[in-house]
Amino acid sequence: MHGTAAATTAAAGQGIGFAAGRIMPFRPDRKYKQTNLENKVRTLSENDLDKILDSLNKPPFLLILDGILDPHNLGACFRSASGAGVHAIIAPKDRSAPMTETVQKISCGGAEDVPFVQVTNLARTIRELKDRGIWIVGTAHEAEKYIYDLDLKGPLALVMGSEEKGMRRLTRESCDFLGKIPMHGRVENLNVSVAAGVCLYEAVRQRRQ
């Protein structure tokens, strides 16, 4: 299962699409209809996040992105989040890529499916999520446990930091648990969108049991 999830999300990060059991290359030069994609998706606020959480009849499943600046990575995260059934993606208003046409194209529909909430104070939002009983699980290479060893079945918010610096200090300190992805070769870390897919689908695996 772990290998399948990693392969699937790695493919998503590299621009590979799946259709009718076949792997199909994503073509960046493909002609898109000129429909003003940026108007399709509205960035939401903290109040909207409360409404989303209040409307759920199942344990919340959230993805928090701290410091993701590359629109291609953000779009790929939306694609994986949509496939995994994430209820919302949360990011700070500062030091974060905004919703753009590029993000929506790369997401392959994920940005239209998963609500995008940008907040003024991420640490405060995390505290409010914890007050709701949502566990905050951050990813960091210095973590003592692997993501596979953590309980990801209940109310959950997974936190991914930037590739260069990881999570900011206040974000890391706000996490209930930290997990890491095992790396066995010379490469020290994965692309953030691929890492997000690996972690999201480990949570999916656990939540199906």
Side-chain angles (χ1 to χ4, degrees):
M1 175 62 73
H2 298 159
T4 302
T8 301
T9 51
Q14 296 171 1
I16 302 297
F18 292 84
R22 295 179 295 126
I23 298 180
M24 303 176 63
F26 174 71
R27 306 185 188 283
D29 58 347
R30 177 181 170 184
K31 297 297 183 182
Y32 285 87
K33 293 181 180 179
Q34 299 301 315
T35 55
N36 194 3
L37 290 176
E38 291 188 52
N39 289 333
K40 280 188 176 183
V41 178
R42 182 172 66 91
T43 300
L44 306 179
S45 68
E46 289 96 331
N47 291 335
D48 296 308
L49 178 60
D50 288 332
K51 294 175 182 177
I52 292 169
L53 296 174
D54 290 341
S55 69
L56 297 177
N57 58 5
K58 60 181 67 175
F61 185 19
L62 307 172
L63 176 62
I64 298 175
L65 302 177
D66 185 21
I68 308 304
L69 300 174
D70 186 340
H72 293 82
N73 281 336
L74 180 59
C77 285
F78 268 104
R79 186 174 183 177
S80 294
S82 176
V86 167
H87 297 125
I89 289 180
I90 303 169
K93 290 181 179 178
D94 63 319
R95 294 186 71 253
S96 177
M99 181 58 64
T100 64
E101 182 175 341
T102 297
V103 172
Q104 292 176 68
K105 284 182 178 180
I106 298 299
S107 77
C108 297
E112 287 82 7
D113 182 40
V114 182
F116 185 40
V117 180
Q118 287 197 294
V119 300
T120 303
N121 188 318
L122 184 58
R124 181 180 64 199
T125 297
I126 290 176
R127 288 196 299 270
E128 292 171 351
L129 293 176
K130 294 171 76 169
D131 289 341
R132 283 178 171 267
I134 298 173
W135 294 98
I136 312 298
V137 176
T139 53
H141 65 85
E142 70 272 16
E144 296 181 0
K145 293 186 176 182
Y146 292 123
I147 196 72
Y148 309 123
D149 299 324
L150 301 178
D151 186 349
L152 307 177
K153 295 188 289 292
L156 174 68
L158 279 169
V159 187
M160 310 298 300
S162 69
E163 291 180 46
E164 296 80 11
K165 299 180 180 179
M167 295 179 290
R168 289 179 290 182
R169 180 182 59 82
L170 287 178
T171 304
R172 181 185 287 103
E173 292 175 355
S174 300
C175 293
D176 295 301
F177 303 101
L178 294 177
K180 62 183 177 182
I181 297 172
M183 302 295 294
H184 300 295
R186 293 184 178 180
V187 175
E188 295 182 358
N189 53 57
L190 298 175
N191 174 281
V192 64
S193 63
V194 176
V198 171
C199 296
L200 289 172
Y201 274 91
E202 171 58 17
V204 170
R205 184 191 70 80
Q206 292 187 23
R207 294 158 93 87
R208 286 174 56 88
Q209 293 178 347

